[in-house]
Amino acid sequence: MDRKLLDILVCPASRQPLALLDNAGLDALNRAIATGTVQRDDGATQSTPLRAALVTRDHKRVYRVDDGIPVLLVEEAIATGQVEGFPAAPTR
């Protein structure tokens, strides 16, 4: 993903900056998706594993990236509280 674009993206719900989700977070998320228990904010089940995603600074919400395009729709966000083993936000 283009670094300049990433520098200006924010969560549409919380206005927090977004960062590329690291491999540990992506692995935890995809393991949970494989169990069929991950729901998006609109209540729909996320059934397709993610190849890339953006995460809020507090690591509470994830937005998928489809073919290099961030899907920044609040209703399609994934709350990370439902993902066992999801990495906590780094401390400053």
Side-chain angles (χ1 to χ4, degrees):
M1 176 168 279
D2 180 38
R3 184 71 212 170
K4 288 181 184 179
L5 176 61
L6 193 53
D7 286 343
I8 63 170
L9 291 178
V10 296
C11 170
S14 68
R15 309 313 273 173
Q16 291 181 52
L18 295 170
L20 215 51
L21 182 60
D22 64 15
N23 287 335
L26 199 56
D27 289 345
L29 187 56
N30 282 330
R31 279 194 303 275
I33 289 170
T35 67
T37 60
V38 174
Q39 290 192 334
R40 299 187 317 224
D41 284 358
D42 64 2
T45 300
Q46 177 67 40
S47 57
T48 307
L50 305 182
R51 297 181 76 191
L54 299 173
V55 64
T56 55
R57 181 178 42 216
D58 64 6
H59 278 219
K60 291 186 178 182
R61 184 171 277 161
V62 168
Y63 294 91
R64 73 180 191 277
V65 176
D66 292 342
D67 297 322
I69 301 169
V71 181
L72 299 179
L73 300 172
V74 174
E75 60 271 10
E76 293 195 19
I78 298 170
T80 61
Q82 63 187 317
V83 178
E84 187 176 328
F86 193 84
T91 57
R92 294 184 186 209

